[in-house]
Amino acid sequence: EAGVAQSPRYKIIEKRQSVAFWCNPISGHATLYWYQQILGQGPKLLIQFQNNGVVDDSQLPKDRFSAERLKGVDSTLKIQPAKLEDSAVYLCASSSSGRDYNEQFFGPGTRLTVL
Amino acid sequence: SQQGEEDPQALSIQEGENATMNCSYKTSINNLQWYRQNSGRGLVHLILIRSNEREKHSGRLRVTLDTSKKSSSLLITASRAADTASYFCATDEGNTGFQKLVFGTGTRLLVSP
């Protein structure tokens, strides 16, 4: 079974530029998550999708971050404009269902450096 | 959501020794999970313990949960160099029927041959 795919793996941009990350979850997984992991910290949930609907985006900085999952499969996360503090690894995860307990499977992440 | 605290922040042991790491959290939870993260395999789920359970075993892993103290511990027995990684606890704090994980700050484990 193929795992969660993410691209690009690395991205370096200057502050105030925009950037987009892509995630393809495990086939058939209804729930998709985007996490932000700053160096030395644990992952922090940014947004959770159930199929193509948003379940939780309470920690997403909506003035600069946006995410979509239009067809309920793959997803993109965008930052516009980027700030220095956005430097982090952005992890995508998926699970078969977001309800109750279902194991989350994580992708390799995209390491973003904002200069 | 506030991240939980993990203790110690870093731990260095020899192969064959046991490693114990602790996690404290702040709110009521549905379950608590432990994850391992290393550069080779990314973030991987290790074990889950539900809020009504006190102890769980999986291979060389033993997890305890004390909901009255809002704390958990992960014990890795007979450690191996391959156990070198960062370990995170994650509490499921979802209250809408959907899982919502809040990760701790992590413990960096180094196992020397």
Side-chain angles (χ1 to χ4, degrees):
Chain A
E1 178 181 79
V4 176
Q6 289 188 248
S7 67
R9 293 295 308 278
Y10 304 91
K11 189 74 178 179
I12 300 174
I13 62 172
E14 297 194 348
K15 60 184 179 183
R16 291 189 289 274
Q17 286 187 324
S18 62
V19 64
F21 313 127
W22 175 81
C23 171
N24 189 29
I26 292 173
S27 177
H29 278 193
T31 312
L32 185 147
Y33 312 80
W34 282 103
Y35 290 86
Q36 178 193 58
Q37 185 176 19
I38 293 172
L39 185 65
Q41 299 182 18
K44 182 181 83 171
L45 178 68
L46 292 177
I47 188 167
Q48 176 181 349
F49 291 95
Q50 181 74 6
N51 297 309
N52 60 351
V54 175
V55 171
D56 188 329
D57 63 358
S58 58
Q59 298 190 101
L60 186 73
K62 298 180 186 64
D63 58 335
R64 297 183 302 105
F65 286 64
S66 64
E68 60 184 13
R69 193 185 184 200
L70 292 176
K71 297 182 179 178
V73 181
D74 54 357
S75 174
T76 55
L77 175 69
K78 297 179 181 178
I79 308 175
Q80 182 179 10
K83 293 185 175 181
L84 296 177
E85 58 261 36
D86 298 331
S87 292
V89 175
Y90 290 85
L91 296 167
C92 179
S94 70
S95 64
S96 57
S97 169
R99 290 197 176 274
D100 300 319
Y101 170 67
N102 279 276
E103 183 176 342
Q104 293 188 27
F105 296 86
F106 285 79
T110 296
R111 183 178 298 277
L112 173 67
T113 301
V114 182
L115 302 176
Chain B
S1 299
Q2 293 285 329
Q3 287 194 328
E5 293 287 327
E6 294 192 51
D7 170 58
Q9 290 187 339
L11 180 60
S12 183
I13 59 174
Q14 299 288 321
E15 266 192 328
E17 294 180 338
N18 295 342
T20 299
M21 49 205 86
N22 305 293
C23 166
S24 61
Y25 57 92
K26 295 182 171 65
T27 67
S28 61
I29 62 173
N30 302 312
N31 61 66
L32 186 144
Q33 304 170 35
W34 285 89
Y35 285 78
R36 180 182 64 214
Q37 186 175 41
N38 58 32
S39 57
R41 295 194 60 192
L43 194 63
V44 175
H45 176 265
L46 294 176
I47 192 168
L48 172 147
I49 186 165
R50 298 189 184 278
S51 59
N52 60 355
E53 296 176 313
R54 293 297 166 257
E55 189 170 312
K56 200 91 172 274
H57 295 255
S58 177
R60 294 183 296 111
L61 305 179
R62 173 178 168 255
V63 171
T64 62
L65 179 64
D66 187 335
T67 53
S68 66
K69 295 181 179 178
K70 291 186 168 56
S71 66
S72 174
S73 67
L74 171 68
L75 168 67
I76 304 173
T77 60
S79 63
R80 306 166 182 167
D83 294 328
T84 294
S86 290
Y87 291 81
F88 295 92
C89 67
T91 50
D92 178 4
E93 301 180 4
N95 57 11
T96 61
F98 286 96
Q99 182 180 194
K100 179 173 182 176
L101 292 184
V102 177
F103 282 82
T105 51
T107 293
R108 294 188 309 279
L109 174 65
L110 174 63
V111 183
S112 302

